[in-house]
Amino acid sequence: MSTANLVSVVIVVRDSPEVDETLARLATQVIGGGHECLIVDSSAGRLDEIAARHQWVRWLAFDPPIDGSFSIAAQRNVGIAAASHSTIAFIDSGCIPVDGWLEALTAPIRAGRADMTCGPIRSARVGVYTIVNDALDGSAVSLAPTGNLAFARAVIERIGGFDERFAYGSD
């Protein structure tokens, strides 16, 4: 497989042990496809046991500024900068990717048919939302949360990455 067809999966995390299950479900899709996974972690080592179980993941420590003025967008930008491949996918820690998730999300980008794709998010428990983006393939959506999103690197470079002035949930 050409490296042009490879994907960098970026996950940001802070004290979220749920990332262990996310990684367990993602391993076959990433390793089997020759892709890479990066965790940008602001947990100050508190998830080291989980990192040790997933040696296939490139774990990046994120040290927020002393004044605490950082956002998830800043973590995402660190992941983008460290990513090796031209397609970058995002999934949130605690999200559970179904079989074939990475291929389905990124195939249109890797084939040159799209610059950005997103997929549905279905909550397993009561929360802010139950289902987001349960739309027909190829249709436009009004909301594209980073819990299930992919970009061609060129798009991210063109827009300058995520706006770090936005707070949690606003990237």
Side-chain angles (χ1 to χ4, degrees):
M1 177 183 295
S2 159
T3 59
N5 286 322
L6 295 178
V7 178
S8 297
V9 178
V10 175
I11 305 172
V12 300
V13 68
R14 180 178 184 179
D15 297 324
S16 178
E18 297 85 4
V19 74
D20 195 23
E21 185 175 358
T22 304
L23 292 172
R25 294 289 299 270
L26 196 55
T28 302
Q29 296 179 54
V30 171
I31 297 167
H35 307 295
E36 72 173 347
C37 182
L38 301 94
I39 298 280
V40 183
D41 181 15
S42 64
S43 303
R46 291 181 292 274
L47 299 178
D48 285 352
E49 185 177 307
I50 294 170
R53 278 195 294 276
H54 300 282
Q55 302 269 325
W56 57 276
V57 175
R58 189 162 29 130
W59 212 275
L60 306 169
F62 180 82
D63 296 316
I66 279 250
D67 68 1
S69 63
F70 79 97
S71 66
I72 291 174
Q75 284 179 270
R76 292 193 202 291
N77 287 337
V78 166
I80 292 165
S84 302
H85 304 305
S86 59
T87 300
I88 301 172
F90 299 94
I91 187 169
D92 285 351
S93 62
C95 286
I96 306 303
V98 297
D99 291 341
W101 166 78
L102 188 58
E103 174 65 24
L105 181 67
T106 62
I109 296 169
R110 293 181 293 119
R113 294 189 316 268
D115 290 327
M116 180 186 128
T117 57
C118 64
I121 297 175
R122 294 177 183 92
S123 182
R125 53 186 176 261
V126 177
V128 176
Y129 51 82
T130 304
I131 298 175
V132 176
N133 288 347
D134 196 16
L136 297 174
D137 284 353
S139 61
V141 296
S142 59
L143 183 65
T146 51
N148 191 0
L149 180 72
F151 283 99
R153 177 185 290 281
V155 169
I156 293 173
E157 290 172 351
R158 194 166 52 240
I159 63 173
F162 288 92
D163 191 332
E164 296 180 14
R165 296 172 298 171
F166 290 128
Y168 171 81
S170 299
D171 51 355

